[in-house]
Amino acid sequence: MQASSSEDLRSTPLRNSSIRLGHTPSPTQSHHRQSFTESLRGHPPSPRATRQPSLSQAQLQELLNNPPTAGTADPIFSGRDWQTIGVGELCQSADVRWVEFDVSIEDATNILINSGAHVLLVRHRKDERAAHATYDYRDLTQYLLFATGQLHPDEEHLPIFTSLAKKAQAGHTIPLRDAKSLGNKEPFMTLPATANLTHAIEVFGGGVHRIVIVEEGTDNVVGILSQLRLVKFLWENGRNFPIIDALYPQSIKDLGIGSQMTISVNGDKPLKDALKLMNNEGLTSLAVVDNQSNVVGNISNVDVKLLTKSSSAPLLDNTCIHFISVILSTRGMNDGKDSFPVFHINPYSTLAHTVAKLVATKAHRLWVTDSPSPSVSATPTSNQLSQPSVPHPPTHLSALPQSNPPFHPLSSTPSVSASALPGANMAGRLAGVVSLTDILNLFARASGLHPTDPDERRRQRRRSSSGSMMRGSLDSARSSSVDVRDVKR
């Protein structure tokens, strides 16, 4: 507003006395001596108008392609071959969060959310240091689908499903042990702390997301090593590891990493379809696209924390686009600033740019996009503008984990279009995906290791997930809302 006012002041004839910034003296105040500020008829031009950019376009592009590392390299790793570094050196016992099998699913969920951890280790007793399973947001997503009547078990899992449903209908507490019986979404892997990083990177390069680190010769847990933690370590200490450091300036297209087999959901489809798809395909996040396949957002398993109140049930029947607006609004309220989708790169992004973005966003994958396609925003229908009609929740909805996330449910607000989202035009057409698995697989192969083919791991995960709980639900979802495409660049 001030810049506009100043321009108006400068372009207005001086004889117009009403433009003075100071107050105009009244006849009774004519003896008042005006200050310098009061005598000004306009502000001097802003120095920003003539300031030269501190970086040229070429320099800016170079910075984007080769961003500085986020942290300082640890001197204790200087001069060492990364393949000889022990996995225990990257872990801290303080990062481990525990929960017991007999704890209720509600209490386990509150511990998961309030601790800020991405996973809880599950043990039998509080005095035990050995872990037997994990509980994370993928497990929470699966249980949320069960609690809201979205899971349709096959014959093999029908007895387990029926038993849990009866407990929930009777108002009994559902222990974590029973909730885990719905199925394990993540392989439980352990390595001794003395094992070197070559073992970890081969496991991670095959598609495993985390490894529990134990004391040598025992089952006592000393830490957890995740894909993201290892990628961050190799990024911050890359100059100490020449084989890996030499890969960073190259583009992901030239390196041939990532997958062109993409799975996405249209933003106009119900959120429950996206959650069922992630659960069935074993995904931690899902791209949300418009009718022209432009990426407009991202939904991850961690976002289900916004659905853990029964008052948020209407969100499941509202659109994915609407849920993205809830995610961004919540993130803005928590961070105190606006937020917009940043989970995308292009085929010519360097590996350095890709890794820096993964580390900064703490994401598991980035969507590869081409130039945006023209997007036509449909006029909201009366159904979109009114609160969605939600059928009476199933009797066992009371078993839904109840947490207290710091946000107010926005389920009753009108749906929004893809073009209305902040940053919606900054991405482009979905062309592929690059994950932490792809990057660690590349590092392993470049170092002469032989990790498992991540695509085969993905196929196994999908077969195990889709063959167990909800084959019929996925077939229905794919027919209406899911885009599974093998994109050729």
Side-chain angles (χ1 to χ4, degrees), residues 43-71:
H43 292 304
S46 170
R48 294 182 178 180
T50 56
R51 186 176 62 186
Q52 295 298 318
S54 55
L55 291 176
S56 67
Q57 183 63 37
Q59 290 173 320
L60 180 59
Q61 189 62 48
E62 175 66 19
L63 183 61
L64 290 174
N65 290 338
N66 300 283
T69 55

mmCIF file of all heavy atoms in Angstrom, residues 43-71:
data_model
loop_
_atom_site.group_PDB
_atom_site.id
_atom_site.type_symbol
_atom_site.label_atom_id
_atom_site.label_comp_id
_atom_site.label_asym_id
_atom_site.label_seq_id
_atom_site.Cartn_x
_atom_site.Cartn_y
_atom_site.Cartn_z
ATOM 1 N N HIS A 43 7.518 10.386 -0.738
ATOM 2 C CA HIS A 43 8.716 9.698 -0.286
ATOM 3 C C HIS A 43 9.737 9.620 -1.410
ATOM 4 O O HIS A 43 9.366 9.574 -2.579
ATOM 5 C CB HIS A 43 8.363 8.266 0.144
ATOM 6 C CG HIS A 43 7.530 8.235 1.390
ATOM 7 N ND1 HIS A 43 7.923 8.820 2.558
ATOM 8 C CD2 HIS A 43 6.301 7.681 1.605
ATOM 9 C CE1 HIS A 43 6.985 8.622 3.480
ATOM 10 N NE2 HIS A 43 5.993 7.938 2.916
ATOM 11 N N PRO A 44 11.006 9.628 -1.081
ATOM 12 C CA PRO A 44 12.018 9.423 -2.127
ATOM 13 C C PRO A 44 11.880 8.022 -2.702
ATOM 14 O O PRO A 44 11.346 7.131 -2.061
ATOM 15 C CB PRO A 44 13.347 9.588 -1.368
ATOM 16 C CG PRO A 44 13.019 9.258 0.053
ATOM 17 C CD PRO A 44 11.614 9.755 0.255
ATOM 18 N N PRO A 45 12.325 7.830 -3.940
ATOM 19 C CA PRO A 45 12.188 6.497 -4.551
ATOM 20 C C PRO A 45 12.954 5.443 -3.768
ATOM 21 O O PRO A 45 14.007 5.708 -3.197
ATOM 22 C CB PRO A 45 12.779 6.691 -5.956
ATOM 23 C CG PRO A 45 13.673 7.889 -5.839
ATOM 24 C CD PRO A 45 13.011 8.784 -4.835
ATOM 25 N N SER A 46 12.379 4.221 -3.739
ATOM 26 C CA SER A 46 12.997 3.127 -3.003
ATOM 27 C C SER A 46 14.279 2.694 -3.683
ATOM 28 O O SER A 46 14.335 2.594 -4.915
ATOM 29 C CB SER A 46 12.029 1.943 -2.922
ATOM 30 O OG SER A 46 12.691 0.804 -2.414
ATOM 31 N N PRO A 47 15.332 2.437 -2.916
ATOM 32 C CA PRO A 47 16.584 1.940 -3.527
ATOM 33 C C PRO A 47 16.405 0.584 -4.179
ATOM 34 O O PRO A 47 17.210 0.179 -5.001
ATOM 35 C CB PRO A 47 17.556 1.877 -2.335
ATOM 36 C CG PRO A 47 16.676 1.792 -1.124
ATOM 37 C CD PRO A 47 15.454 2.597 -1.466
ATOM 38 N N ARG A 48 15.320 -0.156 -3.822
ATOM 39 C CA ARG A 48 15.095 -1.464 -4.424
ATOM 40 C C ARG A 48 14.834 -1.358 -5.926
ATOM 41 O O ARG A 48 15.064 -2.299 -6.665
ATOM 42 C CB ARG A 48 13.907 -2.153 -3.751
ATOM 43 C CG ARG A 48 14.157 -2.514 -2.290
ATOM 44 C CD ARG A 48 12.964 -3.241 -1.716
ATOM 45 N NE ARG A 48 13.198 -3.640 -0.333
ATOM 46 C CZ ARG A 48 12.320 -4.296 0.409
ATOM 47 N NH1 ARG A 48 11.152 -4.632 -0.105
ATOM 48 N NH2 ARG A 48 12.606 -4.628 1.650
ATOM 49 N N ALA A 49 14.321 -0.178 -6.351
ATOM 50 C CA ALA A 49 13.964 -0.023 -7.763
ATOM 51 C C ALA A 49 15.194 -0.048 -8.657
ATOM 52 O O ALA A 49 15.114 -0.432 -9.821
ATOM 53 C CB ALA A 49 13.189 1.282 -7.965
ATOM 54 N N THR A 50 16.341 0.361 -8.130
ATOM 55 C CA THR A 50 17.552 0.423 -8.960
ATOM 56 C C THR A 50 18.620 -0.562 -8.503
ATOM 57 O O THR A 50 19.693 -0.610 -9.086
ATOM 58 C CB THR A 50 18.146 1.842 -8.915
ATOM 59 O OG1 THR A 50 18.403 2.202 -7.541
ATOM 60 C CG2 THR A 50 17.178 2.852 -9.522
ATOM 61 N N ARG A 51 18.321 -1.362 -7.466
ATOM 62 C CA ARG A 51 19.316 -2.290 -6.937
ATOM 63 C C ARG A 51 19.550 -3.429 -7.919
ATOM 64 O O ARG A 51 18.621 -4.029 -8.438
ATOM 65 C CB ARG A 51 18.854 -2.851 -5.597
ATOM 66 C CG ARG A 51 19.895 -3.724 -4.913
ATOM 67 C CD ARG A 51 19.417 -4.169 -3.552
ATOM 68 N NE ARG A 51 18.208 -4.978 -3.647
ATOM 69 C CZ ARG A 51 17.530 -5.396 -2.588
ATOM 70 N NH1 ARG A 51 17.906 -5.005 -1.382
ATOM 71 N NH2 ARG A 51 16.453 -6.153 -2.733
ATOM 72 N N GLN A 52 20.797 -3.738 -8.169
ATOM 73 C CA GLN A 52 21.143 -4.821 -9.061
ATOM 74 C C GLN A 52 21.055 -6.151 -8.304
ATOM 75 O O GLN A 52 21.353 -6.218 -7.113
ATOM 76 C CB GLN A 52 22.568 -4.634 -9.599
ATOM 77 C CG GLN A 52 22.736 -3.413 -10.459
ATOM 78 C CD GLN A 52 21.868 -3.469 -11.708
ATOM 79 O OE1 GLN A 52 21.777 -4.520 -12.343
ATOM 80 N NE2 GLN A 52 21.236 -2.364 -12.051
ATOM 81 N N PRO A 53 20.607 -7.231 -8.986
ATOM 82 C CA PRO A 53 20.537 -8.526 -8.316
ATOM 83 C C PRO A 53 21.912 -8.972 -7.866
ATOM 84 O O PRO A 53 22.907 -8.766 -8.552
ATOM 85 C CB PRO A 53 19.966 -9.457 -9.393
ATOM 86 C CG PRO A 53 20.240 -8.765 -10.694
ATOM 87 C CD PRO A 53 20.181 -7.298 -10.392
ATOM 88 N N SER A 54 21.971 -9.584 -6.676
ATOM 89 C CA SER A 54 23.253 -10.010 -6.135
ATOM 90 C C SER A 54 23.798 -11.225 -6.865
ATOM 91 O O SER A 54 25.002 -11.488 -6.842
ATOM 92 C CB SER A 54 23.107 -10.335 -4.645
ATOM 93 O OG SER A 54 22.083 -11.298 -4.446
ATOM 94 N N LEU A 55 22.912 -12.004 -7.531
ATOM 95 C CA LEU A 55 23.335 -13.167 -8.289
ATOM 96 C C LEU A 55 22.787 -13.077 -9.704
ATOM 97 O O LEU A 55 21.626 -12.722 -9.903
ATOM 98 C CB LEU A 55 22.828 -14.458 -7.636
ATOM 99 C CG LEU A 55 23.436 -14.863 -6.292
ATOM 100 C CD1 LEU A 55 22.735 -16.096 -5.755
ATOM 101 C CD2 LEU A 55 24.930 -15.118 -6.418
ATOM 102 N N SER A 56 23.608 -13.420 -10.670
ATOM 103 C CA SER A 56 23.117 -13.475 -12.043
ATOM 104 C C SER A 56 22.264 -14.722 -12.220
ATOM 105 O O SER A 56 22.253 -15.609 -11.363
ATOM 106 C CB SER A 56 24.304 -13.514 -13.018
ATOM 107 O OG SER A 56 25.011 -14.738 -12.867
ATOM 108 N N GLN A 57 21.552 -14.790 -13.366
ATOM 109 C CA GLN A 57 20.715 -15.963 -13.620
ATOM 110 C C GLN A 57 21.565 -17.232 -13.672
ATOM 111 O O GLN A 57 21.170 -18.278 -13.157
ATOM 112 C CB GLN A 57 19.962 -15.773 -14.946
ATOM 113 C CG GLN A 57 19.000 -16.910 -15.279
ATOM 114 C CD GLN A 57 17.885 -17.024 -14.261
ATOM 115 O OE1 GLN A 57 17.397 -16.042 -13.760
ATOM 116 N NE2 GLN A 57 17.509 -18.256 -13.952
ATOM 117 N N ALA A 58 22.751 -17.133 -14.283
ATOM 118 C CA ALA A 58 23.632 -18.297 -14.370
ATOM 119 C C ALA A 58 24.115 -18.729 -12.985
ATOM 120 O O ALA A 58 24.187 -19.919 -12.670
ATOM 121 C CB ALA A 58 24.823 -17.984 -15.268
ATOM 122 N N GLN A 59 24.441 -17.724 -12.153
ATOM 123 C CA GLN A 59 24.890 -18.047 -10.798
ATOM 124 C C GLN A 59 23.771 -18.654 -9.971
ATOM 125 O O GLN A 59 23.985 -19.578 -9.181
ATOM 126 C CB GLN A 59 25.428 -16.781 -10.119
ATOM 127 C CG GLN A 59 26.733 -16.276 -10.698
ATOM 128 C CD GLN A 59 27.128 -14.929 -10.106
ATOM 129 O OE1 GLN A 59 26.278 -14.040 -9.898
ATOM 130 N NE2 GLN A 59 28.412 -14.757 -9.837
ATOM 131 N N LEU A 60 22.554 -18.144 -10.157
ATOM 132 C CA LEU A 60 21.410 -18.676 -9.430
ATOM 133 C C LEU A 60 21.143 -20.121 -9.829
ATOM 134 O O LEU A 60 20.883 -20.979 -8.980
ATOM 135 C CB LEU A 60 20.170 -17.814 -9.695
ATOM 136 C CG LEU A 60 18.870 -18.241 -8.992
ATOM 137 C CD1 LEU A 60 19.049 -18.239 -7.482
ATOM 138 C CD2 LEU A 60 17.725 -17.316 -9.388
ATOM 139 N N GLN A 61 21.236 -20.404 -11.153
ATOM 140 C CA GLN A 61 21.019 -21.771 -11.615
ATOM 141 C C GLN A 61 22.094 -22.703 -11.081
ATOM 142 O O GLN A 61 21.819 -23.844 -10.696
ATOM 143 C CB GLN A 61 21.006 -21.805 -13.147
ATOM 144 C CG GLN A 61 20.567 -23.149 -13.732
ATOM 145 C CD GLN A 61 19.156 -23.508 -13.333
ATOM 146 O OE1 GLN A 61 18.240 -22.696 -13.431
ATOM 147 N NE2 GLN A 61 18.984 -24.727 -12.841
ATOM 148 N N GLU A 62 23.319 -22.215 -11.023
ATOM 149 C CA GLU A 62 24.409 -23.019 -10.476
ATOM 150 C C GLU A 62 24.166 -23.332 -9.001
ATOM 151 O O GLU A 62 24.432 -24.451 -8.539
ATOM 152 C CB GLU A 62 25.732 -22.269 -10.636
ATOM 153 C CG GLU A 62 26.941 -22.941 -9.987
ATOM 154 C CD GLU A 62 27.306 -24.277 -10.641
ATOM 155 O OE1 GLU A 62 26.872 -24.522 -11.790
ATOM 156 O OE2 GLU A 62 28.015 -25.061 -9.982
ATOM 157 N N LEU A 63 23.626 -22.371 -8.267
ATOM 158 C CA LEU A 63 23.323 -22.585 -6.857
ATOM 159 C C LEU A 63 22.221 -23.617 -6.683
ATOM 160 O O LEU A 63 22.269 -24.454 -5.775
ATOM 161 C CB LEU A 63 22.915 -21.260 -6.206
ATOM 162 C CG LEU A 63 22.621 -21.305 -4.694
ATOM 163 C CD1 LEU A 63 23.865 -21.743 -3.929
ATOM 164 C CD2 LEU A 63 22.142 -19.946 -4.214
ATOM 165 N N LEU A 64 21.215 -23.572 -7.582
ATOM 166 C CA LEU A 64 20.134 -24.544 -7.512
ATOM 167 C C LEU A 64 20.621 -25.947 -7.846
ATOM 168 O O LEU A 64 20.204 -26.932 -7.221
ATOM 169 C CB LEU A 64 18.995 -24.142 -8.468
ATOM 170 C CG LEU A 64 18.177 -22.920 -8.082
ATOM 171 C CD1 LEU A 64 17.203 -22.560 -9.196
ATOM 172 C CD2 LEU A 64 17.421 -23.164 -6.781
ATOM 173 N N ASN A 65 21.501 -26.032 -8.845
ATOM 174 C CA ASN A 65 21.992 -27.339 -9.263
ATOM 175 C C ASN A 65 22.974 -27.940 -8.270
ATOM 176 O O ASN A 65 23.051 -29.164 -8.120
ATOM 177 C CB ASN A 65 22.666 -27.242 -10.637
ATOM 178 C CG ASN A 65 21.679 -26.989 -11.755
ATOM 179 O OD1 ASN A 65 20.492 -27.268 -11.622
ATOM 180 N ND2 ASN A 65 22.165 -26.449 -12.866
ATOM 181 N N ASN A 66 23.726 -27.091 -7.601
ATOM 182 C CA ASN A 66 24.732 -27.569 -6.660
ATOM 183 C C ASN A 66 24.604 -26.812 -5.339
ATOM 184 O O ASN A 66 25.461 -25.992 -4.992
ATOM 185 C CB ASN A 66 26.136 -27.401 -7.247
ATOM 186 C CG ASN A 66 26.319 -28.179 -8.529
ATOM 187 O OD1 ASN A 66 26.486 -29.384 -8.516
ATOM 188 N ND2 ASN A 66 26.270 -27.464 -9.661
ATOM 189 N N PRO A 67 23.540 -27.057 -4.600
ATOM 190 C CA PRO A 67 23.316 -26.330 -3.350
ATOM 191 C C PRO A 67 24.347 -26.706 -2.305
ATOM 192 O O PRO A 67 24.898 -27.816 -2.323
ATOM 193 C CB PRO A 67 21.912 -26.793 -2.929
ATOM 194 C CG PRO A 67 21.761 -28.138 -3.562
ATOM 195 C CD PRO A 67 22.505 -28.061 -4.855
ATOM 196 N N PRO A 68 24.629 -25.787 -1.388
ATOM 197 C CA PRO A 68 25.557 -26.118 -0.306
ATOM 198 C C PRO A 68 24.931 -27.137 0.620
ATOM 199 O O PRO A 68 23.714 -27.244 0.723
ATOM 200 C CB PRO A 68 25.757 -24.767 0.407
ATOM 201 C CG PRO A 68 24.508 -24.000 0.091
ATOM 202 C CD PRO A 68 24.096 -24.421 -1.295
ATOM 203 N N THR A 69 25.747 -27.926 1.274
ATOM 204 C CA THR A 69 25.227 -28.915 2.200
ATOM 205 C C THR A 69 24.570 -28.226 3.377
ATOM 206 O O THR A 69 24.935 -27.120 3.769
ATOM 207 C CB THR A 69 26.353 -29.835 2.707
ATOM 208 O OG1 THR A 69 27.383 -29.019 3.272
ATOM 209 C CG2 THR A 69 26.935 -30.654 1.583
ATOM 210 N N ALA A 70 23.579 -28.929 3.970
ATOM 211 C CA ALA A 70 22.790 -28.326 5.044
ATOM 212 C C ALA A 70 23.566 -28.241 6.355
ATOM 213 O O ALA A 70 23.270 -27.428 7.208
ATOM 214 C CB ALA A 70 21.507 -29.130 5.255
ATOM 215 N N GLY A 71 24.547 -29.100 6.531
ATOM 216 C CA GLY A 71 25.284 -29.111 7.780
ATOM 217 C C GLY A 71 26.777 -29.187 7.543
ATOM 218 O O GLY A 71 27.255 -29.376 6.425
#
